[in-house]
Amino acid sequence: MIATTSPKGAQHGGASFFTSSAATGPTTKGPAAIGIAAGIAAAIIWATYLVFAKSGTSHGLAPQDFVLLRFGTAAAIMLPWLVRNNPRTLGGVGWRRATLLMLLAGPPFILLGTGGYIFAPLAHGAVIQPSTVTLASMMAAAILLKERLTRDKLIGVGMIIAGLVVIAGHASRMGGGHVWIGDLLFVAAGLSWTGFTILIKRWELGALAVTAAVSIVSAIVVVPATLIWGDFSRIAALPLGTLVAQIIVQGALSGVVAVIAFGVAVRHLGAAKAGLFPAIVPAATLIVGMTVTGAMPSFYEWTGAALASLGLVTAIGLVRPLFTPAPPLVPAKG
């Protein structure tokens, strides 16, 4: 059952990310299950994006190429929806808010996240960026949105950190003396996405409206700049199959589906819990990378991924019911 939207949410692009009744209180099992499924879907897409970003880099693509592939494709997908839903105000988001969201989840975010791979290996990006989102989202939600830090959340975060440390400790053996530059770029990308998460929570914006607004405003900046100063030779040099795969992963999946799915997760679970889903990106990246590239993860990578994943389900509250005895049945009277 989908929860109803508040009037305020309806003013910003249809279905709100957040319900008026569940914005601060506990969610029911139905909406919680929807939020968990959406969060997992977003994490899997992000993992796929990381693997294909690294693969694209090996084919000679630069960070600005990923920006064009993502937002050029996403804008083309979302433009028909926006034309039918108050295009003058970007689906009710507004140009001021859309511009700020674009700065947080638009081209600068992609430049930071993909630019880090110039200096650091894939494992660093798969660990540092999502862990920054997880921890920063929880802290920001507790301070700014007054979301309660329960014992389950704190225990889960501790397990997530332990798993990320295991993966990062093993991955730190890779790379040269400039790896720290890439790591800082990954941290900045994680903080940027955290700001995006907090703002869509506070403004109660519609998932489709936010996706359309960020994509369109980003394309307005990126496409003309690329036509004037850009270089299409790297994209044109890609084999057709590789180009199509990059367009699907970077634009359709990462640029549209993942943003909408993450918005659904935030709506049903809150910003703090939704911020935990990036913590399973390392595990998902290992699995996707193994499937796409054939690279077999090491013992340390599997161990860290398992710890981070178990920490996620603990923080969301899925572990406690497994060890809580069911209440005794009360015999009916009469």
Side-chain angles (χ1 to χ4, degrees):
M1 185 178 84
I2 304 297
T4 57
T5 62
S6 64
K8 181 178 179 180
Q11 295 174 0
H12 298 291
S16 169
F17 275 134
F18 325 100
T19 64
S20 58
S21 60
T24 57
T27 58
T28 60
K29 290 184 178 180
I34 294 173
I36 292 170
I40 292 174
I44 293 174
I45 292 174
W46 287 330
T48 305
Y49 152 74
L50 291 175
V51 172
F52 275 79
K54 187 64 175 177
S55 174
T57 301
S58 67
H59 282 87
L61 293 181
Q64 58 268 31
D65 298 324
F66 292 108
V67 171
L68 179 63
L69 288 171
R70 173 162 180 156
F71 296 109
T73 304
I77 294 173
M78 297 306 301
L79 183 59
W81 180 91
L82 185 62
V83 169
R84 298 191 303 268
N85 292 272
N86 199 0
R88 290 186 178 182
T89 61
L90 294 174
V93 175
W95 286 91
R96 182 183 63 83
R97 289 181 174 181
T99 301
L100 183 54
L101 292 174
M102 181 270 292
L103 293 175
L104 293 172
F109 168 72
I110 300 300
L111 289 173
L112 291 169
T114 58
Y117 291 123
I118 298 175
F119 306 97
L122 174 63
H124 280 233
V127 171
I128 295 173
Q129 184 172 326
S131 65
T132 300
V133 174
T134 296
L135 301 177
S137 293
M138 182 168 289
M139 293 300 103
I143 296 172
L144 301 177
L145 305 179
K146 309 303 180 184
E147 291 191 6
R148 188 165 61 95
L149 289 176
T150 64
R151 184 175 64 175
D152 284 347
K153 286 182 182 179
L154 294 175
I155 293 175
V157 166
M159 298 178 69
I160 290 169
I161 293 175
L164 296 174
V165 167
V166 171
I167 296 176
H170 175 70
S172 63
R173 303 173 188 176
M174 305 170 60
H178 298 290
V179 171
W180 63 272
I181 299 177
D183 292 346
L184 288 179
L185 292 175
F186 294 139
V187 170
L191 292 175
S192 180
W193 188 266
T194 300
F196 172 75
T197 303
I198 296 301
L199 287 182
I200 62 175
K201 169 70 174 179
R202 298 195 72 172
W203 291 339
E204 299 187 4
L205 300 173
L208 288 171
V210 167
T211 305
V214 172
S215 301
I216 297 300
V217 175
S218 297
I220 290 174
V221 175
V222 169
V223 174
T226 304
L227 291 175
I228 297 173
W229 298 290
D231 181 5
F232 293 94
S233 62
R234 293 179 296 270
I235 295 178
L238 291 177
L240 180 59
T242 301
L243 176 59
V244 172
Q246 289 288 349
I247 289 174
I248 293 173
V249 172
Q250 304 295 339
L253 294 180
S254 182
V256 176
V257 178
V259 178
I260 294 175
F262 185 72
V264 173
V266 175
R267 171 188 175 185
H268 291 298
L269 300 175
K273 287 185 177 180
L276 295 171
F277 283 102
I280 65 174
V281 170
T285 301
L286 297 182
I287 296 173
V288 175
M290 183 173 58
T291 303
V292 174
T293 66
M296 182 62 66
S298 68
F299 169 79
Y300 296 99
E301 290 170 329
W302 279 123
T303 302
L307 281 171
S309 300
L310 183 57
L312 169 69
V313 298
T314 301
I316 290 180
L318 295 181
V319 173
R320 182 181 293 272
L322 298 178
F323 299 96
T324 302
L329 296 175
V330 179
K333 294 182 180 180

